Amino acid sequence: EFLDAYRKGSDATYSPAAHTVKTGCASVDDFEVPIEDRNRTSPFPYGGHRFEFRAVGSAQNVSMVNTVLATICAEQFKEFADQIEAGKKPQDVAAASLNEHWKVIFNGNGYDPAWVAEADARGVWRIDAGVEAIDVLASPKNLALF
């Protein structure tokens, strides 16, 4: 909700709120669940002032993945900085980027087969297997990034 309002020009502050889980059990107290811990199916979720990366298996080396992610983020931050230094307002730069990439924002269950149909309907490009990922690793767009 916040991002949708922000990309449409709102200057509201992001204020996630925890919610209380009532156990209904006398021997287990009610407890608060932070909003940041709501989507365990996202490979790159935002979790309360930080992003987490969850797509690499526990037995895999994350060095290449982290190098690629850091390079992608650095490239995009450079593009944002160039626009801001050229005189655009930071909120306008952020809103334009959100509008351009809105189709990839999904807060549902990424394991649900319905997400595949939803992603296709949105025009989100997917790679569903490691072999497919390796096949496009050396595509011209990816090589140009480095």
Side-chain angles (χ1 to χ4, degrees), residues 53-70:
F53 186 64
R54 299 179 179 150
V56 178
S58 63
Q60 295 175 305
N61 185 320
V62 299
S63 61
M64 181 175 176
V65 173
N66 285 340
T67 298
V68 171
L69 285 174

Side-chain angles (χ1 to χ4, degrees), residues 57-105:
S58 63
Q60 295 175 305
N61 185 320
V62 299
S63 61
M64 181 175 176
V65 173
N66 285 340
T67 298
V68 171
L69 285 174
T71 303
I72 290 168
C73 289
E75 175 70 15
Q76 190 58 57
F77 288 147
K78 179 189 179 307
E79 289 180 23
F80 290 159
D82 289 348
Q83 292 178 52
I84 293 166
E85 289 171 0
K88 289 187 177 180
K89 295 192 320 190
Q91 183 171 359
D92 293 343
V93 172
S97 183
L98 282 169
N99 285 326
E100 182 179 353
H101 302 291
W102 190 250
K103 67 183 179 182
V104 302
I105 296 175

Side-chain angles (χ1 to χ4, degrees), residues 19-135:
H19 68 277
T20 301
V21 173
K22 297 189 180 293
T23 65
C25 178
S27 61
V28 179
D29 291 338
D30 296 344
F31 57 94
E32 283 195 359
V33 177
I35 192 71
E36 297 89 14
D37 197 35
R38 71 184 190 285
N39 192 345
R40 290 286 184 199
T41 67
S42 174
F44 201 47
Y46 180 74
H49 309 295
R50 72 188 183 290
F51 283 94
E52 296 176 3
F53 186 64
R54 299 179 179 150
V56 178
S58 63
Q60 295 175 305
N61 185 320
V62 299
S63 61
M64 181 175 176
V65 173
N66 285 340
T67 298
V68 171
L69 285 174
T71 303
I72 290 168
C73 289
E75 175 70 15
Q76 190 58 57
F77 288 147
K78 179 189 179 307
E79 289 180 23
F80 290 159
D82 289 348
Q83 292 178 52
I84 293 166
E85 289 171 0
K88 289 187 177 180
K89 295 192 320 190
Q91 183 171 359
D92 293 343
V93 172
S97 183
L98 282 169
N99 285 326
E100 182 179 353
H101 302 291
W102 190 250
K103 67 183 179 182
V104 302
I105 296 175
F106 176 71
N107 290 315
N109 180 352
Y111 295 122
D112 189 330
W115 165 237
V116 174
E118 175 69 20
D120 288 342
R122 292 181 183 196
V124 174
W125 183 63
R126 299 182 351 267
I127 298 177
D128 295 326
V131 173
E132 294 172 17
I134 291 168
D135 190 43

